[in-house]
Amino acid sequence: MNKIRILFFATIRDKFGRKTLELDIPNEMTVLQLKQKLANDYPNLKDSLKAVLVSVNQEYSFDDFIIPANAEIALFPPVSGG
Amino acid sequence: MNKIRILFFATIRDKFGRKTLELDIPNEMTVLQLKQKLANDYPNLKDSLKAVLVSVNQEYSFDDFIIPANAEIALFPPVSGG
Amino acid sequence: MTFPTIFSITESEIDLNALLEKITLTSTGAAAIFTGMVRGVTTRDDPHETEYLEYESYIPMAEAKMKQVADEIREKWSSIEGIAIVQRIGKLYPKTPTVLIAVTAAHRDTGVFEAARYGIDRLKEIVPIWKKEIGPNGEEWIEGDYFPKAGE
Amino acid sequence: MTFPTIFSITESEIDLNALLEKITLTSTGAAAIFTGMVRGVTTRDDPHETEYLEYESYIPMAEAKMKQVADEIREKWSSIEGIAIVQRIGKLYPKTPTVLIAVTAAHRDTGVFEAARYGIDRLKEIVPIWKKEIGPNGEEWIEGDYFPKAGE
């Protein structure tokens, strides 16, 4: 198993109601599989997850990426700084 | 006669050795005629007067302009602010 | 010679004088600076009033992405000497500067204006910062519309 | 609404924070600022070192021409809200900001960068300011190469 930490920001954090989530996931899990798991476990995140940005260890990441050991994942909407 | 005041700046002021000159000039004198008179009266200004900028009452002025009464004239090289 | 690159996410006031000084070298002759402020009144698109904005950031990633923006600027405009990229976060009221991009170079005609423009555009694309707008009719998250690609 | 226009020839330090605040309205969301500094070392064209620059100005005409530059900016970019144009004069040493052009608007995509660029270019063409450069090998007046036309 792979212990990861997920951070939530902005709208998706508000939806989730929490800033972080620690999770044990199978080795070799992809970003897409993680999003599917979250949508399954937390149905009210389902909509937010459709257009979510994902970072893994502070780099943008994509559906077919495999999540490395002890990854820090973040889920957030398109950025709006400035 | 028309009493005018001439201000000198930068290189041409250094050449002239003075910042200002009060002068009585004939009515209807043009800028060109004034430059010719100055080149005549102050021969060491001759070179500086070839590419000089002239303002009359704080507006850029040109050879065929007639100098109005009590004008404030300035003579200076192309500007180099910034 | 090392060229200074400053990036920061801060809750403090943005001090333009101090930042400019930090990116001015003895060879520097020109700086272009962009700042963004909170608008109290917006008339374009969806006209509305704003009481304040509340900014948040995923700070370590935001710092890494600011560094990336600076690297991209240096790659595109080799004449750039210093770069400062600062985002203020927290609760920010109308007229307050919220973001700054400043770049310096020896001369003004080798890309400083273009680089500053590029910097703010990229910040709004890839640096993880979000703002929530609080107005007379409630609050609303402002979302961007850019989806970074792999390697961005 | 009146839009602030500031122009000044000064012997004092240029305070970017204070100037920006003066041209920020409640509708302002973006500012582009250009500053020029004294270079201690110049490598382009005629490489040389500079100990300091000595600036002088024909002040009342310079103020009038700064106002004209601001008017030209407003005519070209109707979106511009505030404008500040400041030239510092006197004896100025390397790394010191000598000139500032700042413009504000509601948004960053309606000409702020172009207007700031235009402002500094025009200042160097028509505003009566001159500088003498003092270096290790003596002093030399720097002359521009622009000859204004009637009406400029």
Side-chain angles (χ1 to χ4, degrees), chain A residues 29-49:
Chain A
M29 190 181 228
T30 66
V31 166
L32 178 62
Q33 287 167 337
L34 175 64
K35 288 196 289 186
Q36 286 165 340
K37 175 181 167 52
L38 290 170
N40 202 54
D41 294 356
Y42 305 96
N44 68 328
L45 283 188
K46 208 167 177 177
D47 281 350
S48 301
L49 286 166

Side-chain angles (χ1 to χ4, degrees), chain B residues 13-14 59-60 72 77 80 82, chain D residues 55-56 58 126 129 141-142:
Chain B
R13 192 258 330 281
D14 280 1
E59 287 293 344
Y60 286 107
E72 178 177 288
S80 60
Chain D
Y55 283 79
E56 71 173 65
Y58 177 19
I126 65 166
I129 301 159
W141 282 101
I142 301 174

Side-chain angles (χ1 to χ4, degrees), chain D residues 7-133:
Chain D
F7 38 87
S8 100
I9 318 280
T10 177
E11 301 209 10
S12 309
E13 262 185 48
I14 298 177
D15 184 339
L16 279 72
N17 296 323
L19 288 162
L20 181 61
E21 192 180 349
K22 282 186 189 156
I23 58 168
T24 300
L25 307 177
T26 187
S27 51
T28 299
I33 305 169
F34 175 84
T35 65
M37 302 83 155
V38 180
R39 275 189 307 278
V41 174
T42 297
T43 53
R44 193 164 77 171
D45 301 334
D46 165 34
H48 65 280
E49 288 180 27
T50 303
E51 276 167 29
Y52 62 88
L53 297 179
E54 180 110 40
Y55 283 79
E56 71 173 65
S57 174
Y58 177 19
I59 293 179
M61 179 169 172
E63 288 172 345
K65 290 293 147 191
M66 283 178 166
K67 182 176 180 312
Q68 180 179 323
V69 172
D71 291 344
E72 289 177 10
I73 287 173
R74 290 193 192 287
E75 199 165 310
K76 285 176 186 286
W77 292 279
S78 61
S79 60
I80 298 299
E81 298 186 340
I83 302 177
I85 306 179
V86 180
Q87 172 77 50
R88 187 170 177 191
I89 56 172
K91 204 166 165 176
L92 297 174
Y93 289 85
K95 300 178 76 173
T96 309
T98 57
V99 68
L100 171 141
I101 312 276
V103 298
T104 56
H107 304 275
R108 75 184 187 287
D109 58 1
T110 60
V112 285
F113 293 95
E114 295 80 358
R117 172 84 200 241
Y118 179 85
I120 183 61
D121 288 348
R122 282 300 272 165
L123 179 140
K124 284 169 177 273
E125 287 179 347
I126 65 166
V127 179
I129 301 159
W130 307 270
K131 59 193 171 202
K132 191 164 59 175
E133 183 162 353

